[in-house]
Amino acid sequence: MRNKEVSEKLYELASYLEILGEMKFKINAYIEAARRIENLTIPIEELAREGKLTEIKGIGEGIAKKIVQYLETGKIDKLEEVKKQIPETLIELLNVPGVGPKGAYTLYNKLGIKNIEDLKKAAIEGKIRQLDGFGQKKEENILKALQHPKKKEVRRINLGIALPIAEFVKESLVKGAPIDKIEICGSIRRMKETIGDIDILVTSNNSNQVMDFFTNMGIVKEVVNKGDTKSTIITPEGIQIDVRVVEPISFGAAVQYFTGSKEHNVKIRELAIKKGLKVNEYGVFKIDKDERICGEKEEEVYNILDLPLIPPEMREDRGEIELALENKLPKIIDIRDIKGDTHVHTKYSDGENTIYEMVKKSIELGYEYLVIADHAKALGVASGLSIEKYKEQKKEIDKINEEFGDKFRIFLGCELNILSDGSVDFEEKELSIFDICLAGIHTGFNQDKKKITERIKKAMNIEKIKIITHPTGRLLGTRDEYEVDLDEIFKEAKNNGIILEINANPERLDLNDLNAMHGKELYNLKFSIGTDAHSVNGLSDMRYGIGVARRGWLNKKDVINTLSLKEFERFIKS
Ligand code: DGT
Ligand code: CA
Ligand code: CA
C-alpha cells in the first residue's frame, strides 16, 4: 500500500507552495487530499488503476493526475519544479513555532538560512530580530523552541475508560455544586476512539464553589491547577480533567469551541471571516464593530453561518462543512434506531449471564430481537460449543421465544472461528440448525497479509455465514490489527452480500470509523453493530459502536440491526 508515500509527497508539495506564497486555497487542497489519502484504508494505487481517484472526497482532476504520475514515475513534475526554487531543508523551519512559511522565505532570502542549524545560529547571534515581521520577542521564542523541543506523543486513553469517568464527574458536579448548564466537550463528545484529556464546561452563579467541589472530588489524585474559572486535576488512572466555568451568554460558543476538532473549528472561523464575523469561545461578533451577535446556544453559531448544527461526531473536517453549506449533510444513525444486538455471548460459552438475563436487558433497552452468538468449539479457551451443545441451547431459546410471543425474538446464532486455512468449526451441512452464522478470526494473527485475506474471503463463501466479526482483529492500545487487505475484504463482502461488523466493544471498535466510511463510500456495504457482550452490562456498549458509525457518516439504512423484527427475519432468510 503506497498511501503514506503519496500523502507525504502531497504534504511536501503543499509546504513548498506555502513557502513560495501560493494561494491559500490551492495549498489547502493539497493538504486536504493528503489527509484523506493518509486515512484511506484502501491502497491508493488500486484506486488509481481503476480510475477511481476522483471518487475520494477532496481529490479533483488535477491532484488525481499528479498522483497517477507519482505512482507511475516516482516523480511529480510540479514538485520538481518548485524544489528548484528553494532548498529542501527549508521545510524543517515550518515546524518551528513562530516561523511559518512567509517567515521561512524571509529567513532564506535575507539571511541565507537553509535549515534548523542556521536558524539557531542566527538567533543566538541576534540577527533575526532585525528582520521584517520578526523582532526581539519572536527571536527569543524561536530560540526557546529550538532549545526545548516539545515532548511528543502523550498516552491516549480509550474512550471506553474516559467516557464513564467524564459522566461520573458530570453527575457529581450536578449533584454537589451550583451548576446551571454542563456539557462534556472535546474528543469525548466527538466519540473519538481514544482521548487525550477530558474537557468539561459549566455555567454557574458561584464559580468558586464549583472549583472547590471539583478539586476536592474523590477521584482527584493531583490538582494541577486551581483557578477562579478553570481547574485541572489528574485522576488515579492518569487522566487529566479540565473544568471551565463560562458566562451563560457564551456557553454555546464555548461548547462549540471546546468540542473541536481544531481542524473543524479552523474552517468554521474561516467561513465566519468571509461573512465579516468573528467566532471564538466567547461568541460570534461582527468583525468591524466587535458587536456580539450570538453565542448562548451552540446551534446559533452554526445557523448564523447558514449551516445546520453539525453532529459532534462529524466535526473532523472530513468534508462536513462543505456538505452542510450545500444543505446536504447526511442524516446519520442514532442509537434509537437500533432494534437489536447482533452479537452477544452467554453462559453457554464464556459469557457471564444466562440467555434469559440477556433477553431481559435487551427488552429494557427497547430491542425487538437478539442474536445469541456463542463461540464455537475450536475456541477452547472460550468454552466453544459443539453442535450438540448448540442444539441444547436452541431448545432453551425456543422455550423463551414461545414465552415472549411476538414481543421479542431470540435468534440462534454462533460465532464461528475462521481457522488458519479459512475453514470453520463445522461442516457446512451442520450449520443448518442456526438462524444466522457469524465468523471471525480468533487465532493465527501472525499469518501474512495474503493468507489472512484469503482466509477471510474463503469463510465469506460459506453459504450460512452472514457476518464477519471484528474484521481487523485489533485491540485498542494492546494489539495491532492483523495484516489484512481490507479492500479485498470489502469487495468480497460486496459480491457475496456479507455484512461487516462494527464491533462496539470499546476495546475493539473494529471496523473503525474510517473503515466504515470507506466501505460505504466505495462499495456501498452494509454493517452490523454488535456489542460482543459477555454480560448484561456489555449490552450497553452499543453507544460506542454507534459513535463509530456516526463518525463514519453511516445512515440508519447502512446498518442491518436498525431493521424491525419482521425485516430482520426476512433479511436472515434471504
Ligand atoms: P484530545 O483531548 O487530544 O483527545 O482532543 P481534543 O479535541 O479534546 O483536544 P483538546 O483537549 O486539546 O482541546 C479541546 C478542544 O478545544 C479542541 O477539540 C478544539 C479546541 N482547541 C484547543 N486548542 C485549540 C487551538 O489551539 N485552536 C483551536 N482552534 N481550537 C483549539
Ligand atoms: Ca480533550
Ligand atoms: Ca483539553
Side-chain angles (χ1 to χ4, degrees):
M1 182 144 128
R2 301 178 64 189
N3 301 14
K4 189 145 181 55
E5 206 185 315
V6 171
S7 75
E8 269 166 16
K9 282 290 154 194
L10 295 176
Y11 279 128
E12 197 183 338
L13 182 51
S15 302
Y16 277 106
L17 293 175
E18 234 183 327
I19 294 173
L20 288 169
E22 178 61 277
M23 307 276 280
K24 193 99 189 169
F25 79 93
K26 283 196 187 165
I27 296 162
N28 285 343
Y30 287 112
I31 292 173
E32 173 104 15
R35 251 188 339 116
R36 288 194 185 273
I37 294 167
E38 191 176 31
N39 289 327
L40 201 63
T41 45
I42 293 168
I44 187 85
E45 58 273 26
E46 196 141 324
L47 292 174
R49 203 159 44 237
E50 293 167 4
K52 279 191 183 166
L53 285 176
T54 52
E55 283 177 28
I56 306 174
K57 285 201 201 86
I59 298 192
E61 292 291 343
I63 294 182
K65 264 195 201 137
K66 292 187 180 70
I67 293 171
V68 170
Q69 189 190 27
Y70 177 74
L71 288 170
E72 284 172 359
T73 68
K75 287 208 163 125
I76 302 175
D77 285 345
K78 176 95 182 170
L79 182 59
E80 298 303 311
E81 181 192 308
V82 293
K83 270 183 170 178
K84 281 190 200 133
Q85 301 174 46
I86 34 174
E88 207 163 323
T89 47
L90 211 54
I91 287 184
E92 292 172 11
L93 305 189
L94 296 181
N95 295 327
V96 180
V99 175
K102 232 196 214 151
Y105 196 61
T106 312
L107 289 166
Y108 172 61
N109 254 346
K110 295 277 151 75
L111 299 175
I113 289 173
K114 295 198 204 71
N115 53 37
I116 299 272
E117 275 311 298
D118 294 350
L119 180 67
K120 201 164 170 180
K121 198 157 156 267
I124 290 168
E125 290 169 0
K127 286 183 180 161
I128 292 174
R129 67 183 70 179
Q130 301 151 10
L131 293 178
D132 267 0
F134 281 91
Q136 184 166 348
K137 187 86 198 136
K138 262 201 178 166
E139 186 180 76
E140 278 165 18
N141 286 342
I142 288 171
L143 201 54
K144 217 161 62 194
L146 292 176
Q147 283 163 343
H148 308 280
K150 258 201 191 154
K151 268 195 233 132
K152 268 213 250 159
E153 273 308 308
V154 277
R155 197 171 62 97
R156 297 186 65 81
I157 292 132
N158 287 1
L159 180 64
I161 292 171
L163 179 56
I165 292 174
E167 286 170 340
F168 170 77
V169 172
K170 178 178 167 182
E171 276 165 34
S172 306
L173 283 170
V174 168
K175 272 192 217 137
I179 298 288
D180 191 11
K181 289 185 192 151
I182 183 162
E183 189 83 61
I184 300 167
C185 301
S187 48
I188 297 197
R189 185 155 179 251
R190 306 197 311 277
M191 294 296 275
K192 209 170 155 178
E193 60 189 31
T194 62
I195 69 115
D197 70 352
I198 297 175
D199 309 280
I200 298 177
L201 293 187
V202 306
T203 61
S204 169
N205 56 16
N206 191 337
S207 176
N208 286 324
Q209 220 174 316
V210 176
M211 294 292 111
D212 282 342
F213 182 87
F214 171 55
T215 51
N216 283 300
M217 280 181 63
I219 61 153
V220 174
K221 185 176 165 221
E222 184 195 334
V223 177
V224 178
N225 169 52
K226 185 181 171 200
D228 293 337
T229 58
K230 183 196 166 191
S231 296
T232 299
I233 66 102
I234 309 273
T235 72
E237 299 90 347
I239 303 177
Q240 180 179 316
I241 308 179
D242 296 340
V243 170
R244 287 182 174 79
V245 184
V246 301
E247 290 298 324
I249 50 162
S250 295
F251 186 69
V255 165
Q256 197 285 326
Y257 179 89
F258 287 106
T259 295
S261 67
K262 202 166 150 183
E263 291 77 11
H264 172 92
N265 287 353
V266 166
K267 277 251 169 91
I268 289 289
R269 281 200 301 268
E270 283 172 7
L271 193 62
I273 287 169
K274 280 190 203 144
K275 293 183 186 287
L277 299 172
K278 184 174 80 186
V279 173
N280 57 30
E281 65 262 55
Y282 304 107
V284 181
F285 305 85
K286 278 203 177 130
I287 291 179
D288 46 2
K289 298 185 215 132
D290 221 22
E291 175 192 330
R292 163 184 290 277
I293 301 177
C294 61
E296 191 180 348
K297 296 206 182 93
E298 186 180 34
E299 74 184 297
E300 295 168 355
V301 178
Y302 287 94
N303 294 349
I304 199 83
L305 301 175
D306 293 324
L307 300 169
L309 182 76
I310 299 178
E313 296 90 336
M314 293 182 77
R315 300 183 197 171
E316 295 291 346
D317 189 23
R318 291 176 179 161
E320 71 280 4
I321 294 175
E322 291 77 358
L323 279 185
L325 272 173
E326 295 175 40
N327 210 3
K328 285 186 186 153
L329 212 56
K331 185 170 179 342
I332 56 176
I333 187 170
D334 186 277
I335 192 151
R336 283 162 299 197
D337 295 327
I338 295 292
K339 296 291 176 352
D341 200 320
T342 50
H343 182 177
V344 311
H345 298 269
T346 70
K347 270 188 163 167
Y348 275 81
S349 63
D350 60 346
E352 286 169 28
N353 290 98
T354 62
I355 299 176
Y356 200 87
E357 287 161 346
M358 295 302 274
V359 167
K360 240 182 84 195
K361 178 74 186 185
S362 293
I363 291 172
E364 270 172 44
L365 290 171
Y367 295 165
E368 300 173 7
Y369 51 90
L370 180 66
V371 177
I372 306 264
D374 270 314
H375 293 287
K377 70 176 181 194
L379 201 58
V381 288
S383 323
L385 308 189
S386 64
I387 284 287
E388 287 67 41
K389 259 299 194 206
Y390 280 117
K391 283 182 179 158
E392 263 177 49
Q393 193 178 34
K394 182 172 162 47
K395 276 191 201 142
E396 188 176 339
I397 286 176
D398 286 345
K399 226 174 84 201
I400 301 174
N401 271 337
E402 209 164 302
E403 184 182 328
F404 284 101
D406 297 340
K407 279 219 293 284
F408 193 87
R409 176 78 53 82
I410 312 162
F411 294 101
L412 175 68
C414 58
E415 188 179 19
L416 299 167
N417 298 288
I418 303 178
L419 304 173
S420 55
D421 63 353
S423 66
V424 294
D425 310 67
F426 307 118
E427 296 296 324
E428 219 167 319
K429 58 176 187 297
E430 292 178 293
L431 300 178
S432 63
I433 65 160
F434 297 106
D435 296 314
I436 182 170
C437 293
L438 288 63
I441 288 187
H442 296 96
T443 51
F445 301 108
N446 295 326
Q447 286 177 324
D448 65 35
K449 190 173 196 165
K450 200 157 170 252
K451 273 231 175 80
I452 291 201
T453 307
E454 285 309 313
R455 208 171 141 188
I456 300 176
K457 278 169 72 178
K458 197 169 156 198
M460 286 171 138
N461 282 284
I462 297 172
E463 178 80 29
K464 198 82 192 190
I465 293 175
K466 267 271 196 296
I467 297 178
I468 298 297
T469 58
H470 39 71
T472 76
R474 72 154 175 190
L475 293 177
L476 259 173
T478 37
R479 184 174 76 205
D480 284 343
E481 55 263 32
Y482 38 68
E483 298 243 8
V484 59
D485 188 339
L486 263 191
D487 192 43
E488 281 288 304
I489 299 298
F490 286 176
K491 268 186 210 155
E492 194 75 9
K494 176 77 195 159
N495 292 337
N496 293 352
I498 297 285
I499 307 302
L500 297 183
E501 178 178 81
I502 292 171
N503 191 294
N505 180 322
E507 283 178 41
R508 289 192 182 269
L509 301 182
D510 175 10
L511 301 173
N512 70 22
D513 52 352
L514 287 165
N515 299 152
M517 184 179 260
H518 296 139
K520 172 181 175 170
E521 216 169 88
L522 296 165
Y523 297 99
N524 201 17
L525 293 181
K526 299 271 183 260
F527 305 88
S528 62
I529 307 179
T531 58
D532 206 348
H534 283 70
S535 68
V536 289
N537 289 336
L539 286 165
S540 304
D541 286 342
M542 186 57 78
R543 60 177 173 160
Y544 298 107
I546 292 289
V548 171
R550 286 170 64 85
R551 289 177 59 85
W553 298 18
L554 299 191
N555 309 133
K556 182 178 170 183
K557 282 197 327 288
D558 303 317
V559 175
I560 58 159
N561 44 323
T562 61
L563 296 173
S564 68
L565 172 57
K566 279 243 153 55
E567 293 164 332
F568 190 75
E569 221 173 353
R570 212 175 305 139
F571 159 77
I572 278 183
K573 286 186 181 141
S574 70

